[in-house]
Amino acid sequence: MQCCFVILNAVPVLTVTPVSSSYCNGSSTSITASGASTYSWAPGATLNTTTGATVTSTATTSTIYTITGTNAAGCTAAATQTLTVNAVPVLTVTPVSTSYCNGSSTNITASGASTYSWAPGANLNATTGTTVTSTATTTTT
């Protein structure tokens, strides 16, 4: 009588971790997979590579990536990761007056985003907020 052995290999359990699941258009983000020996990523058009545990996405639109992991026994598993690409805000800056007399002040208002940071702040009443007041004594950008 002959005896047979069957070896059952486990399928890898993939974990995918984005540094951030969303980023701004024109930027990039890294995605890392773990749980297997080798990895294949698709679609590859907006990735710096289609193999390896960590890839960098430069997608300009939201994208669903499929990651296929293969373990040492040759078993495969797949996972997906959605990255959301956010539009860059379009800023508008409106001075009440484009010029004013030395010793006076003028308000400058920004719109198009959620928060604002102003620089240089030396002649401004604040460095954050929608509207700031300039008391600059020389032409300043």
Side-chain angles (χ1 to χ4, degrees):
M1 175 177 207
Q2 291 184 342
C3 181
C4 300
F5 290 97
V6 176
I7 298 173
L8 180 60
N9 294 307
V11 174
V13 177
L14 294 181
T15 302
V16 183
T17 309
V19 171
S20 174
S21 60
S22 66
Y23 62 97
C24 293
N25 193 357
S27 297
S28 63
T29 194
S30 295
I31 315 166
T32 300
S34 60
S37 300
T38 62
Y39 305 90
S40 175
W41 299 76
T46 57
L47 297 173
N48 66 323
T49 184
T50 57
T51 60
T54 300
V55 297
T56 301
S57 170
T58 56
T60 57
T61 60
S62 296
T63 303
I64 299 172
Y65 292 103
T66 300
I67 306 93
T68 302
T70 305
N71 65 14
C75 298
T76 63
T80 60
Q81 178 63 50
T82 301
L83 291 184
T84 302
V85 180
N86 299 312
V88 176
V90 177
L91 295 179
T92 303
V93 179
T94 309
V96 172
S97 174
T98 57
S99 64
Y100 61 95
C101 296
N102 195 359
S104 297
S105 64
T106 192
N107 289 333
I108 309 167
T109 302
S111 61
S114 300
T115 62
Y116 304 91
S117 177
W118 299 82
N123 296 304
L124 297 174
N125 69 322
T127 57
T128 60
T130 303
T131 300
V132 296
T133 302
S134 172
T135 57
T137 57
T138 60
T139 300
T140 305
T141 302

